Amino acid sequence: MNEHVMDRAYRPAALDAAEQGVLGKPLPRIEGPAKVSGAADYAYEHAPADTAYAAVVGAPAGSGRVTGIDASAAEALPGVIAVIHGDPRMPAGGANSRAMPRLGTDLIFHYGQPVAIVVAEDQAIAREAAALVRVTCEAGQDRFDSRAVPVERDHGIGFLPAIDKGDLDDALAGSAVVLDRTYTTPIHFPAALEPHATTAWWEGDKLTVKSSNQVIGAARTTIAAALGIDADRVRVLAPFVGGGFGGKTGVGPELVLAAIAAERIGRPVKVALPRRDTAYLVHHRSDTVQRIRIGCDAEGHIAAFAHESVAAQNDDGEFLEPVPFGSLPLYAGKVRRFRTDLVRVDLPATGAVRAPGEAIGTFAVEGAMDELAERLGLDPIELRRRNEPATDPLSGKPFSTRRMIDCYDEGARLFGWPATLPAPASVRDGDWLIGIGMAASLRGNFTVNAQARVRLNADGRAVVETDMTDIGTGTYTILAQVAGEMLGLPIDRVEVRLGDTDLPPSAGSGGSFGAGSAGSAVVLACEEILAALALRMNAAPEDLRLKDGCVTAAGRSVPLADLLRGDTLEAVGKTAPGAESKRTSQASHGAQFVEVAVNRISGEIRVRRMVGVFDVGRVLNAGTAANQIIGGMVWGIAYALSEDAVIDTRTGRFVNPDFGEYHVAVNADVPQIEVHFIEEVDTSANPVGAKGVGELGISGAGAAVVNAIYNATGVRVRDMPVTLDKLLAGLPAV
């Protein structure tokens, strides 16, 4: 096994010297034909014979305790196989953002919490029967309004502790200019297209689950713990996942319930959550209240920066939205305060949704920077330029790579950012007010433990295996490109196998660390194979040249199949974080530019143009990387203009738990989006030199839209989303 811990900057010599020319190219997704033809095997499809169907019964109250369950009417319905409740292994809370759910309790943490599962011969019968189950409850405290419950400062949950550096009050008092603003964001759903679904079956004492899950290695551990069995008795399959956005990073209660039901009836069981149930059984992004305080001199040099927030979680949850996470290294300033306080509520769990922290923290930070720039009479880019730190302003560590200034400059050039920003509400096109805005993007970069096995077969074809998942991000393709580049093979001579816990363990898809970590494991495995090929060529590994299935060294060229002489070469690469990840401050960076039009009569908002320039280290596939960034930018538009999950504070129920009322951005809302990369291989990040992409695009995107709306109208909205009612009263007179 070729193992690499990031204890030093890594020099990917073989990768940089490779000649195949597939890495970085915008090659089409190799799994695309399977998806468009219907051959791709998702969690709810291609079930074993004699599979039964299940539906989850949820608690009819938002807090309190379950006192009784009457399943007699459901059990009498023809086609019902079983109604299961009272099993001590049944999860009460969700496990999407934690290693283990609360099991076998009658406490109610939120409306819709699973209390029983109905199994029937078809899906319609299962759902009809679930509606017939009668659940009685004892009343609880009903804390449904996060703005009306006490705030806990010393809560001890979440991965981002409070940070204080210097005397904030003293620094603010000594600043020539002080900005103090409060911004709010609502609850957001991770609304993936593929439902949260599981098919579960037992073979003897071994459980197999096909699940729509992003991180299947961790899922296997959680499932085993919930069921009280050894992890080696659980196999998780997720060869294709139709989107996750963080909502599928952990084990949802429906998976454990399906496993229990399959064991109980002795048949395979499948379950898919209806869209409205997803709101209750899958974690969401917390609503937040964010206070930004910035103190600077008259020229705009920041001396003090504070980002203090309040986020929510229920009594069973251990996650807390790390609201200021993206703010930590973003701007200079010696005195700094970052903290997120907690409110406990009787609502479904909050958890990690795409770019936790940065996605919504940037609304406050980047809005405040625009407000400060206006106060100072500075261009928004110039204010950011003046506060670009030379080293990490919190830790003092050097940046691994940081091309933020280049992103500003190139973005401004491509967008056509003017030398002088037009005054708010000064540019018109008929009945439309035209405005422009920009914002910075940042997403922390991580390398995590990952393994990959690469096998070079006797016919000169390669196979890459890892339990990494592809949630629409292009994992199949980029791993094939990495192996193809290293081994000198066209992409059609590399097979990639993913999404099976029988394969070498990886980090899974989440946190934007999957591609860099799994890709690095492939690099290390290929390096070991190259060393073996070099021995056969009587050459040093660095002297090999591989292209189109031939190996060249010392003046001779040999087809791989001939060099292998019927043998198979196999290696496992393993990568892990180390001293280098602690020595440097690592992040992906970007700048986003937006033009909007706001109707001066109706307040209708249209996003006309959007340009983003990003620094993500080595670009593994220009097409899939751009796809990821565009998806995040589209989501930023939706966060800015429409996404808002509304709670009925009398009952703890969502008013709009489906796509009929929870409005995501659709094609008509989205302009042509331009994405550009400034590429610099980050040798401190990982052996493949790539930094996180998937979560970067949403960071700052919504803030750029909101800043453009202000420039168009002169109305500064600080409570997201920017809906018509928040604009109309402040629009210029017609």
Side-chain angles (χ1 to χ4, degrees), residues 455-466:
R455 184 168 61 254
L456 188 57
N457 290 326
D459 61 359
R461 301 177 66 87
V463 178
V464 177
E465 296 179 319
T466 173

Side-chain angles (χ1 to χ4, degrees), residues 110-427:
H110 60 85
Y111 180 89
Q113 173 181 310
V115 296
I117 185 167
V118 175
V119 189
E121 296 295 349
D122 67 41
Q123 188 67 76
I125 295 173
R127 290 180 179 171
E128 181 183 357
L132 297 175
V133 176
R134 295 290 171 257
V135 181
T136 54
C137 304
E138 178 184 287
Q141 48 192 331
D142 290 357
R143 301 166 300 176
F144 303 140
D145 186 349
S146 64
R147 310 288 166 82
V149 295
V151 175
E152 301 177 28
R153 291 179 61 85
D154 300 319
H155 46 74
I157 72 168
F159 70 83
L160 188 63
I163 296 170
D164 277 288
K165 183 181 179 182
D167 189 326
L168 179 69
D169 293 334
D170 185 62
L172 291 174
S175 296
V177 178
V178 175
L179 184 84
D180 187 345
R181 294 286 186 269
T182 297
Y183 305 79
T184 69
T185 61
I187 291 172
H188 294 138
F189 293 143
L193 182 61
E194 181 201 15
H196 290 247
T198 293
T199 302
W201 65 95
W202 294 81
E203 295 171 302
D205 64 352
K206 293 189 175 181
L207 170 68
T208 300
V209 294
K210 277 202 311 177
S211 178
S212 188
N213 187 278
Q214 297 175 226
V215 189
I216 63 175
R220 177 170 66 172
T221 302
T222 300
I223 296 163
L227 297 176
I229 60 178
D230 293 335
D232 60 8
R233 290 170 52 192
V234 180
R235 183 184 185 192
V236 182
L237 302 173
F240 297 97
V241 180
F245 311 124
K248 297 174 182 176
T249 48
V251 174
E254 74 284 350
L255 189 157
V256 178
L257 292 170
I260 291 171
E263 181 185 51
R264 175 75 64 90
I265 70 169
R267 290 169 54 182
V269 170
K270 63 163 56 177
V271 59
L273 296 183
R275 184 64 62 187
R276 296 179 71 86
D277 285 2
T278 303
Y280 300 104
L281 300 183
V282 177
H283 68 239
H284 57 256
R285 195 192 302 278
S286 172
D287 63 325
T288 66
V289 178
Q290 305 178 44
R291 184 186 184 190
I292 301 290
R293 287 183 285 173
I294 305 174
C296 66
D297 63 21
E299 288 73 43
H301 299 103
I302 295 174
F305 191 102
H307 190 177
E308 301 165 281
S309 308
V310 179
Q313 183 57 280
N314 68 30
D315 286 337
D316 190 45
E318 298 173 353
F319 175 92
L320 188 66
E321 182 77 23
V323 182
F325 187 56
S327 313
L328 302 181
L330 190 51
Y331 297 117
K334 291 184 178 180
V335 178
R336 310 174 75 75
R337 176 180 294 171
F338 305 100
R339 64 176 302 117
T340 304
D341 296 330
L342 168 71
V343 290
R344 289 287 188 183
V345 291
D346 299 314
L347 296 173
T350 65
V353 179
R354 191 176 196 171
E358 296 102 332
I360 54 172
T362 49
F363 274 113
V365 172
E366 293 303 287
M369 288 295 285
D370 256 42
E371 294 199 55
L372 181 60
E374 183 179 45
R375 175 91 67 87
L376 293 164
L378 290 175
D379 181 270
I381 298 176
E382 178 58 26
L383 176 63
R384 289 166 172 83
R385 186 190 305 276
R386 292 184 185 186
N387 290 285
E388 174 68 4
T391 59
D392 188 299
L394 190 63
S395 67
K397 296 177 182 178
F399 296 115
S400 58
T401 60
R402 181 168 169 127
R403 303 289 297 275
M404 185 71 90
I405 293 293
D406 294 325
C407 291
Y408 293 149
D409 291 346
E410 183 67 1
R413 184 187 71 81
L414 292 166
F415 183 78
W417 190 262
T420 301
L421 188 66
S426 66
V427 179

Side-chain angles (χ1 to χ4, degrees), residues 60-124:
S63 69
R65 186 182 301 274
V66 175
T67 58
I69 296 177
D70 180 0
S72 57
E75 291 168 335
L77 192 68
V80 170
I81 301 168
V83 180
I84 302 167
H85 57 89
D87 190 308
R89 301 169 299 173
M90 293 178 67
N96 302 82
S97 282
R98 55 185 296 192
M100 186 66 196
R102 184 81 68 96
L103 302 175
T105 179
D106 59 4
L107 293 175
I108 298 174
F109 301 107
H110 60 85
Y111 180 89
Q113 173 181 310
V115 296
I117 185 167
V118 175
V119 189
E121 296 295 349
D122 67 41
Q123 188 67 76

